[in-house]
């Protein structure tokens, strides 16, 4: 008779350890159950070559240290606020270019598309048309959106390279601007609201009210989203990480207000958060939600990562790409109106070719890949601030424009090199 072997007391089997490849491939908040695990997972991703925004953050610190050591005015409240205003156009153009870069494409026309938005808006504001400011701005943005639809349709339906189509746009829209306002012409802006978009400030009280409402909205949305995921048994970041994100946003808002609300006037007091900062933040939040929380955003990343796989999965490539070029041109239109507001006029002296190069540089320096599929709107913000900081700091030191261009080019080259090295590192561990 066979005997049954006593299996002995049950021993709880520990959960299998997460393979290092999985830790590197997944976002840290997916695998982390505590703040400590999140930090360790983030460190492993950086070690594997996926450094995220760390290089540009380190670069900004280095830039600040260098320029502050050479000129004590660099980190003053007045100069930092001026830097934010200078960076606004670069950031908005970078936000525009990201839509094309995520698809693995490029849009070389956005510099003069931005100019077209300014020209249309200013022409409609001027006599004898005298349109209301909001209608003129909407018309300018509608024209740029239409430009994006046309260029996107040509690229996707005729399967032409985006480089060639948008290069033609760069030349064509420059010529159209000259045709509308005349060779060497300048059209001033006589509308106070439009001029204040880049030159006006909120009152100190209004700035605090907007900041408190914004932080409360972010905290409520973030907390409820993570709570619902935990309650449903879905993967969610640890509570400590959620609280840390909310505290980080609150601290950033307070720091921004303390800088912008300091009196930076010489003869008359000048205080308050510039309107253009709010325009950039609203655009950033809108495009972050669109790309990170909607089906459309997932399709954009899918096409940029592997267009053929996305097509086989049923994604309408032509429609998504055309919409991306439309959003790219419309965001450039916002930048163009802000640029015209800052100058209080539009003219044919607009250097759209240089602006588009700065737009690509802002996105890539911030961490967006030139090969598609990787990048976030916040990258344009960081890259745009880096470019503006270099120009601002060198201006304080009295350096020539040629030196500024050379240094910006070296920073861009360093960013592309980091992206290429990181991509090879991810490929080595089996991630994209």
């Amino acid at each position: 008779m066979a005997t049954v072997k006593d299996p002995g007391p049950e021993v709880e089997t520990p959960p299998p350890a997460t393979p290092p490849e999985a830790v590197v491939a997944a976002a840290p908040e997916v695998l982390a159950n505590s703040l400590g695990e999140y930090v360790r997972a983030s460190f492993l991703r950086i070690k594997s070559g996926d450094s995220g925004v760390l290089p540009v953050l380190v670069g900004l610190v280095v830039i600040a240290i260098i320029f502050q050591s050479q000129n004590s005015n660099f980190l003053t409240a007045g100069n930092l606020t001026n830097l934010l205003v200078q960076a606004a156009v670069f950031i908005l153009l970078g936000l525009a270019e990201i839509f094309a870069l995520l698809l693995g494409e490029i849009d070389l026309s956005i510099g003069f598309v931005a100019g077209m938005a300014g020209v249309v808006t200013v022409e409609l504001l001027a006599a004898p048309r005298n349109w209301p400011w909001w209608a003129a701005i909407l018309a300018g943005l509608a024209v740029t959106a239409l430009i994006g639809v046309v260029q996107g349709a040509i690229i996707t339906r005729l399967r032409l390279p985006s480089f060639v189509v948008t290069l033609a746009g760069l030349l064509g829209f420059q010529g159209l601007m000259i045709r509308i306002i005349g060779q060497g012409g300048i059209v001033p802006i006589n509308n106070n609201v439009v001029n204040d978009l880049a030159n006006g400030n909120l009152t100190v009280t209004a700035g605090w009210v907007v900041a408190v409402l914004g932080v409360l909205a972010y905290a409520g949305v973030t907390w409820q989203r993570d709570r619902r995921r935990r309650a449903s048994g879905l993967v969610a970041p640890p509570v400590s990480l959620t609280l840390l994100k909310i505290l980080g946003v609150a601290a950033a808002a307070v720091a921004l207000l303390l800088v912008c609300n300091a009196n930076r006037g010489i003869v008359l007091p000048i205080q308050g958060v510039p309107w253009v900062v709010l325009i950039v933040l609203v655009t950033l939040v809108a495009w972050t939600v669109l790309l990170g929380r909607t089906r459309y955003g997932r399709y954009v990343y899918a096409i940029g990562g592997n267009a053929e796989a996305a097509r086989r999965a049923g994604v309408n490539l032509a429609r998504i790409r055309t919409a991306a070029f439309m959003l790219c041109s419309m965001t450039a239109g916002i930048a163009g109106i802000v640029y015209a507001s800052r100058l209080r006029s539009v003219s044919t002296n607009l250097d759209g070719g240089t602006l588009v190069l700065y737009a690509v540089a802002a996105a890539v320096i911030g961490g967006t890949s030139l090969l598609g599929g990787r990048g976030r709107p916040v990258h344009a913000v960081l890259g745009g601030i880096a470019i503006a900081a270099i120009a601002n700091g060198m201006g304080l030191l009295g350096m020539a424009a040629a030196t500024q261009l050379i240094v910006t080019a070296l920073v861009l080259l360093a960013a592309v090199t980091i992206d290429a090295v990181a991509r090879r590192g991810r490929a080595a561990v089996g991630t994209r």
Side-chain angles (χ1 to χ4, degrees):
M1 179 178 179
T3 58
V4 178
K5 189 176 180 179
D6 184 6
E10 292 186 359
V11 178
E12 185 177 354
T13 304
T18 305
E21 294 81 0
V23 174
V24 173
E29 57 265 30
V30 172
L31 301 175
N33 294 312
S34 67
L35 188 59
E37 291 181 5
Y38 177 83
V39 173
R40 284 192 291 275
S42 299
F43 178 74
L44 283 175
R45 284 172 66 88
I46 294 173
K47 193 176 177 182
S48 71
D50 191 354
S51 52
V53 299
L54 185 61
V56 69
L57 290 177
V58 173
L60 285 172
V61 172
V62 172
I63 289 170
I65 293 174
I66 292 175
F67 288 129
Q68 179 65 18
S69 65
Q70 299 297 314
N71 189 317
S72 59
N73 289 325
F74 183 75
L75 291 181
T76 58
N79 189 58
L80 289 178
T81 306
N82 184 45
L83 191 155
L84 291 176
V85 175
Q86 287 179 323
V89 173
F90 300 142
I91 293 172
L92 289 169
L93 287 173
L95 286 169
E97 194 65 57
I98 277 180
F99 281 101
L101 294 179
L102 285 178
L103 296 173
E105 307 280 358
I106 196 166
D107 190 335
L108 297 178
S109 68
I110 59 172
F112 286 109
V113 170
M116 285 298 299
V119 169
V120 171
T121 301
V122 173
E123 285 288 337
L124 293 178
L125 286 172
R129 287 169 283 275
N130 297 321
W131 281 33
W133 64 268
W134 54 269
I137 290 176
L138 287 178
L141 296 180
V143 168
T144 55
L146 180 61
I147 290 172
V149 170
V150 173
Q151 290 193 139
I154 293 173
I155 292 167
T156 56
R157 303 296 177 181
L158 301 182
R159 299 184 179 182
L160 297 179
S162 59
F163 177 87
V164 176
V165 174
T166 56
L167 179 61
L170 181 151
L171 299 171
F173 295 123
Q174 183 181 15
L176 193 55
M177 282 183 60
I178 296 173
R179 173 72 68 178
I180 294 174
I181 60 180
Q183 183 71 44
I186 298 178
V187 182
I189 301 175
N190 297 317
N191 185 282
N192 292 331
V193 175
V194 176
N195 281 329
D196 282 345
L197 293 178
N199 302 299
N201 302 299
L202 295 176
T203 64
V204 173
T205 304
W208 280 106
V209 170
V210 171
V212 169
L213 293 177
V215 171
L216 288 177
Y218 174 80
V221 170
T222 304
W223 184 264
Q224 286 298 325
R225 184 193 64 209
D226 293 349
R227 187 189 64 80
R228 281 198 300 269
R229 292 185 67 86
R230 292 189 198 97
S232 304
L234 300 174
V235 174
V239 175
S240 55
L241 181 60
T242 302
L243 290 174
L244 190 63
K245 287 180 179 177
I246 295 172
L247 289 175
V249 170
V254 170
L256 177 67
L257 285 168
L258 291 177
V259 169
C260 295
N261 286 343
N263 182 15
R264 51 185 185 276
I266 298 176
V267 179
L268 297 174
I270 301 176
Q271 292 175 286
V273 178
W275 290 16
V276 71
V277 172
L278 291 184
I279 295 173
V280 170
L281 288 177
V282 169
T283 308
L284 171 66
V285 171
W287 293 164
T288 299
V289 172
L290 179 67
L291 290 172
R293 301 292 173 188
T294 66
R295 181 182 298 179
Y296 173 78
R298 290 193 291 273
Y299 286 170
V300 170
Y301 284 103
I303 294 172
N306 189 324
E308 179 58 23
R311 187 188 67 79
R312 290 174 181 269
V315 177
N316 188 326
L317 302 189
R319 184 181 303 169
I320 299 298
R321 280 174 165 158
T322 302
F325 278 99
M326 179 198 72
L327 292 169
C328 175
S329 293
M330 191 177 72
T331 311
I334 298 174
I337 294 171
V338 167
Y339 193 57
S341 168
R342 186 177 159 203
L343 300 177
R344 299 178 186 272
S345 65
V346 294
S347 76
T348 53
N349 294 324
L350 176 73
D351 193 354
T354 301
L355 286 178
V356 72
L357 296 181
Y358 278 134
V360 176
V364 175
I365 289 173
T368 300
S369 174
L370 282 169
L371 302 180
R374 293 187 69 87
R376 291 186 296 167
V378 72
H379 291 164
V381 176
L382 296 173
I385 291 175
I387 292 174
I390 292 171
N392 181 286
M394 290 191 170
L396 286 178
L397 298 179
M399 292 186 175
T403 308
Q404 297 179 26
L405 293 173
I406 292 171
V407 173
T408 305
L410 292 175
V411 173
L412 175 60
L413 190 61
V416 174
T417 304
I418 291 172
D419 176 57
V421 172
R423 185 173 287 272
R424 281 198 287 271
R426 291 190 295 270
V429 295
T431 65
R432 194 179 182 286

